[in-house]
Amino acid sequence: MKKSRGIMIILTLLIWAGMYYYYLPALNIHSEESWMFFVAAVLVGLVLNFWPIFKVLFLERDGVIVDKAEKWKTAKKLLIVPLALVIVYGAGMLLSSPILRAGAYRELLDVQSGDFANDIHEVDYNQIPILDSDSAARLAEREMGSMVDMVSQYEVSPYFNQINYQGKPVRVTPLQYGDLIKWFTNRSTGIPAYITIDMTTQDVDLIKLQEGIKVSPFEHFGRHLNRYIRFRYPTAMIRAYNFEINDEGVPYWVCSVEDKTIGLFGGTDIKGAIIVNAVTGEHEYYDVADVPTWVDKVYDSGLLIEQYDYYGTLINGFINSIFGQRGCLMSTEGHNYIALDDDVWLYTGVTSIGGDESNVGFVLINSRTKETKYYQISGAKEYSAMSSAEGQVQHLNYVATFPILLNIADEPTYFLSLKDNAGLVKKYAMVNIEKYQIVAIGDTVAECEKTYRSLMAGNGINNVDTSETQSITGAITMMKDIVSEGNTFWYLMLEGSDDLFEGKAKEHLEIMKKQVGSNATVEYVSQREGVNTILSVK
């Protein structure tokens, strides 16, 4: 009897160890998954060690009623522990919920008012990201298909992460093993490369590593990223893994560490990150304030949007967020990312909770620090802008990408790419957020921007800052006129300067009196690198 009892205890311990090795719960009182794991583990232990009792109660229909009554008494005592765990878990969920802690949930995000023109500077069109994740994935697959030495063993992974790399918006993803057999035959060398996709030029590079990636979600056993982290940080609640590269191109996994700040299970936030060298496995934990600046994403989009929605909907309490909804705001259906000051910021529109078809503003949230700025600018929702852009080329059946936010002449502007059925970017669109009837289409970003500026001028929007007027005198070395959207633009180049000088023909008729070789004095303001807006020509 004692021998069989000892065998069952050993078997129970082995099964618990197997469950832990497979599910890898955080040994943390704030982890909901851990509570469920421990309830399941206790039930497994009870069934294994007291099987005769449960067999009589639940599987055998015949038997002495008195015997079953005695066994029910025993079973009730045995089930006290898992039942107590379930009760504590349920109470913890209730006491941690927005129903009782609405004020605390609203304070999860510190939202500051921002100045659009000062915070979001105009960017050169050569730095505007034109690809979404789907287009980037297609380009990566095509690049991988051309790598004959790798395509039979590896595939492009789904970990497409947008980062700022050497001053440019880039999507980066590692390769993954083709299947279990290919993992077995290649695991000694690891994953040999990762792919970068320049989101402005659509250039795709496969970066081969001197030593392969040996810690990743595509490994098995001890080198699997989740298991690798769990055995070194047993109490850490890992929320998300992001693949990033530092300024030298070294691949890392940035593992966000979750915290519960309200009660037992509420107020999900990020307290830090575990950064793992994907090649060597070296790792270090950083608090949020100390995360290296080359890291671009610590907070995932789902958490940031969830926290903003708490901030917007719980302004007057939980009941008001359900009934009445006075003053309640919420994020719109989608989001995107923009690059500001070498950081990646999440962008999403803000609308009233009543389901209006327009935005009342938008928010930018830093994906590394959670700094949040709100801009009260009303206008079209993102999907309305997408429909407007698609309507301009409806005969081509192009599909618009989710827009990103740009500053064009101090005007908040949606920028979209238009893709064909193969997912290739064919045209570009700009839609004014406040006056969304202003829609410009172009075959290149530069052409689209020029048309957009022309349309704004035609609609009475002229935000050229004349306080920084400059002047240049010299012989005209080049004159060219271009017609766009029914408007003629003159482009000049002057001796001693490599810049272009751009002016609308009907606003500067004096240009028509000039020719190549004529001397001219041009007053202008610099709008973007290498292109200047003409104010006058003499």
Side-chain angles (χ1 to χ4, degrees):
M1 183 68 178
K2 291 183 178 180
K3 183 178 180 180
S4 62
R5 177 62 59 87
I7 292 174
M8 292 309 300
I9 292 175
I10 293 173
L11 179 61
T12 301
L13 293 175
L14 289 174
I15 291 177
W16 282 354
M19 291 172 62
Y20 179 78
Y21 188 82
Y22 182 80
Y23 290 106
L24 300 171
L27 302 180
N28 193 312
I29 193 174
H30 295 291
S31 171
E32 299 172 44
E33 293 79 8
S34 294
W35 280 77
M36 294 297 96
F37 174 83
F38 286 122
V39 169
V42 170
L43 289 175
V44 168
L46 292 176
V47 170
L48 286 175
N49 290 275
F50 299 94
W51 173 246
I53 294 176
F54 294 105
K55 179 181 178 183
V56 170
L57 292 175
F58 298 107
L59 297 181
E60 294 183 2
R61 295 186 177 182
D62 299 327
V64 181
I65 295 178
V66 175
D67 187 44
K68 281 198 171 187
E70 288 297 324
K71 286 184 170 16
W72 266 117
K73 290 181 181 179
T74 304
K76 288 178 181 179
K77 293 178 182 179
L78 294 174
L79 293 172
I80 286 176
V81 173
L83 183 61
L85 290 174
V86 171
I87 291 172
V88 173
Y89 173 79
M93 290 292 291
L94 178 62
L95 296 174
S96 306
S97 69
I99 298 174
L100 302 179
R101 307 290 300 275
Y105 273 86
R106 192 166 190 269
E107 293 174 359
L108 286 171
L109 200 64
D110 180 22
V111 181
Q112 303 293 326
S113 296
D115 185 301
F116 177 81
N118 289 331
D119 295 344
I120 305 175
H121 305 295
E122 283 198 63
V123 296
D124 183 78
Y125 58 76
N126 292 318
Q127 296 179 330
I128 297 175
I130 62 176
L131 296 174
D132 59 4
S133 59
D134 179 63
S135 296
R138 289 174 182 262
L139 290 174
E141 291 287 354
R142 291 180 182 180
E143 176 68 16
M144 190 64 195
S146 66
M147 307 301 294
V148 180
D149 58 329
M150 292 187 185
V151 70
S152 64
Q153 300 297 309
Y154 303 96
E155 299 173 352
V156 178
S157 83
Y159 283 84
F160 281 91
N161 189 33
Q162 181 174 332
I163 64 173
N164 282 344
Y165 179 58
Q166 297 180 350
K168 297 185 294 184
V170 171
R171 285 192 181 269
V172 59
T173 182
L175 302 184
Q176 65 180 14
Y177 299 104
D179 52 42
L180 184 61
I181 300 299
K182 292 167 184 175
W183 164 79
F184 186 79
T185 57
N186 292 284
R187 66 179 302 274
S188 60
T189 56
I191 297 170
Y194 61 82
I195 291 177
T196 63
I197 304 99
D198 190 316
M199 297 176 65
T200 61
T201 64
Q202 304 188 59
D203 291 337
V204 183
D205 292 315
L206 188 140
I207 310 299
K208 294 184 179 180
L209 300 166
Q210 290 184 348
E211 293 185 47
I213 294 173
K214 295 185 174 67
V215 179
S216 75
F218 322 118
E219 295 286 347
H220 298 274
F221 306 112
R223 281 174 23 182
H224 186 280
L225 180 60
N226 196 12
R227 194 166 290 114
Y228 189 86
I229 292 293
R230 176 58 62 233
F231 289 157
R232 289 158 179 80
Y233 300 88
T235 63
M237 297 185 291
I238 305 301
R239 179 176 176 89
Y241 305 104
N242 292 308
F243 183 78
E244 298 199 25
I245 55 177
N246 67 5
D247 295 333
E248 289 73 42
V250 178
Y252 286 87
W253 293 101
V254 179
C255 312
S256 303
V257 180
E258 188 178 274
D259 191 18
K260 302 293 183 179
T261 62
I262 302 174
L264 196 59
F265 302 120
T268 302
D269 209 346
I270 301 298
K271 67 177 184 178
I274 299 168
I275 300 180
V276 182
N277 186 306
V279 176
T280 66
E282 295 178 32
H283 54 87
E284 188 169 353
Y285 170 80
Y286 298 87
D287 289 331
V288 165
D290 300 324
V291 171
T293 55
W294 62 263
V295 173
D296 286 309
K297 189 177 293 184
V298 176
Y299 293 86
D300 60 278
S301 60
L303 178 61
L304 294 178
I305 290 173
E306 177 185 86
Q307 289 193 357
Y308 182 79
D309 285 342
Y310 284 138
Y311 175 87
T313 58
L314 299 176
I315 184 171
N316 292 306
F318 180 80
I319 294 178
N320 179 72
S321 70
I322 305 299
F323 305 102
Q325 301 176 336
R326 179 172 53 87
C328 292
L329 300 175
M330 63 182 297
S331 60
T332 50
E333 296 88 345
H335 69 275
N336 214 324
Y337 296 95
I338 63 174
L340 293 174
D341 301 324
D342 201 34
D343 278 326
V344 173
W345 293 66
L346 178 139
Y347 154 82
T348 185
V350 176
T351 186
S352 65
I353 203 169
D356 290 347
E357 289 304 314
S358 61
N359 288 349
V360 298
F362 56 87
V363 289
L364 295 179
I365 311 177
N366 191 306
S367 294
R368 178 172 57 86
T369 66
K370 206 176 72 168
E371 179 185 357
T372 305
K373 294 184 178 182
Y374 171 73
Y375 302 87
Q376 188 173 347
I377 300 175
S378 60
K381 276 188 175 182
E382 294 88 344
Y383 282 99
S384 297
M386 292 167 67
S387 297
S388 295
E390 291 169 354
Q392 296 288 315
V393 289
Q394 58 184 336
H395 59 291
L396 299 172
N397 293 320
Y398 289 165
V399 176
T401 60
F402 192 86
I404 63 173
L405 181 70
L406 295 181
N407 177 346
I408 305 294
D410 287 344
E411 284 290 309
T413 303
Y414 289 134
F415 174 81
L416 314 91
S417 299
L418 294 163
K419 303 188 297 183
D420 62 13
N421 292 331
L424 300 177
V425 176
K426 294 296 186 181
K427 289 181 180 290
Y428 307 94
M430 291 181 179
V431 182
N432 190 280
I433 292 179
E434 294 181 285
K435 296 184 178 181
Y436 43 90
Q437 73 276 11
I438 300 177
V439 182
I441 304 292
D443 292 328
T444 65
V445 179
E447 179 185 335
C448 182
E449 182 186 10
K450 182 168 69 68
T451 302
Y452 179 68
R453 289 177 181 271
S454 174
L455 289 173
M456 286 198 297
N459 283 269
I461 303 174
N462 188 355
N463 292 332
V464 174
D465 184 2
T466 59
S467 64
E468 298 184 6
T469 300
Q470 301 179 63
S471 178
I472 185 173
T473 299
I476 297 175
T477 59
M478 187 274 287
M479 288 185 66
K480 187 175 180 61
D481 62 296
I482 296 176
V483 178
S484 177
E485 301 287 328
N487 295 298
T488 300
F489 292 83
W490 280 101
Y491 289 87
L492 309 179
M493 292 188 71
L494 299 180
E495 187 176 9
S497 174
D498 293 329
D499 287 355
L500 277 174
F501 299 88
E502 174 189 67
K504 205 170 183 178
K506 68 179 181 180
E507 296 175 358
H508 303 287
L509 296 176
E510 62 272 20
I511 295 178
M512 300 179 66
K513 302 176 183 178
K514 302 290 184 179
Q515 59 185 350
V516 174
S518 299
N519 285 324
T521 298
V522 178
E523 289 189 342
Y524 66 95
V525 291
S526 179
Q527 285 294 92
R528 58 186 187 273
E529 185 177 357
V531 180
N532 306 303
T533 297
I534 296 172
L535 298 180
S536 68
V537 178
K538 298 179 182 178

